[in-house]
Amino acid sequence: MADAVIVAALVLVAVCATVAVAVRDPVRQALVLAVLGVVLAVLFTAVQAPDVALSQLAVGGALAPLLLLLSVRKVKRRKGRER
């Protein structure tokens, strides 16, 4: 059972990472990166690393995508002022 969860999580990690690279819109990339962070947290939990999973969930699943979204928003605002 545990091996099936690990394999499924690895497949989801590969799919999410590929989608994150393929998507061109920065907002969608941030959302895909948030999903990737959550899937990585599940993978770390499956391989018995709950401390790493909690860190990944906080940083990769919430903080990094939030900072990316805020940066994109600020850049779009500045671009609008220049025109």
Side-chain angles (χ1 to χ4, degrees):
M1 176 66 180
D3 291 338
V5 173
I6 293 172
V7 170
L10 283 172
V11 169
L12 283 173
V13 166
V15 169
C16 287
T18 304
V19 170
V21 171
V23 172
R24 294 287 182 201
D25 182 31
V27 174
R28 289 188 179 149
Q29 279 181 339
L31 295 175
V32 172
L33 286 175
V35 172
L36 177 62
V38 171
V39 172
L40 279 170
V42 170
L43 175 65
F44 291 142
T45 303
V47 294
Q48 303 294 317
D51 53 342
V52 179
L54 285 173
S55 298
Q56 177 62 33
L57 191 60
V59 175
L63 189 62
L66 178 65
L67 289 174
L68 185 60
L69 285 172
L70 291 173
S71 299
V72 168
R73 181 178 170 194
K74 186 148 187 143
V75 167
K76 284 185 179 179
R77 268 200 217 162
R78 283 191 181 174
K79 245 184 179 177
R81 288 182 190 166
E82 290 176 3
R83 292 182 184 184

